[in-house]
Amino acid sequence: MINGTHVIIYSRDADADRAFLKDVLGFAHVDAGRGWLIFRLPPAEAAVYPAEGFAHEVFLMCDDVRATMAELAAKGAEFTEPVTDAGWGLKTSLRLPGGGELGLYEPRHPVAHD
C-alpha cells in the first residue's frame, strides 16, 4: 500500500533552494545522482481546500506500483494513465473524486525515508 509521499517544489533557482533545505533547514537527504538531492521531510499532513482550478502535484510512493494499483482499484480508484517507466520510477496517476489527480509511483532512485 502507500508508504510515502514525494513532494515536488518548483524553483527558479533549484541549487539555491536545495542548499537552503540542506544547510538552513537541516533536512537529511540522499543523492539520487548528479547532485539531485531528495530530502527527508518531517511527518506531513494533507488538507483539501476548495478551488476553481487545480494547482498541485503530489506523488504517493509505493513498493510495487502494479500491486498497489490493484489494491486501490478494488476499492474504486480510477487510474488516468497506464504505468509508464519514467526512468526514476514506474508511474501512473489516479483521479481524485473532486477531479484532480495524484501521481503514484514505484521509485527506482534512492528514497529519503525509511
Side-chain angles (χ1 to χ4, degrees), residues 6-10 57-59:
H6 185 96
V7 177
I8 297 172
I9 300 170
Y10 292 101
E57 187 170 13
V58 175
F59 281 83

Side-chain angles (χ1 to χ4, degrees), residues 6-7 23-24 34 46-47 53 61 67 98 103 108 113:
H6 185 96
V7 177
D23 299 332
V24 176
R34 297 171 292 180
M61 299 165 68
R108 289 192 171 161
H113 68 86

Side-chain angles (χ1 to χ4, degrees), residues 14-78:
D15 288 338
D17 285 349
R18 288 182 193 120
F20 181 84
L21 293 174
K22 179 173 67 78
D23 299 332
V24 176
L25 298 182
F27 287 160
H29 61 280
V30 295
D31 189 335
R34 297 171 292 180
W36 195 273
L37 303 182
I38 307 285
F39 293 93
R40 181 177 187 143
L41 299 176
E45 295 180 344
V48 178
Y49 288 78
E52 293 300 316
F54 304 104
H56 66 272
E57 187 170 13
V58 175
F59 281 83
L60 304 174
M61 299 165 68
C62 61
D63 293 326
D64 182 329
V65 72
R66 288 182 176 87
T68 301
M69 287 175 71
E71 280 184 67
L72 296 175
K75 296 178 181 179
E78 174 188 345

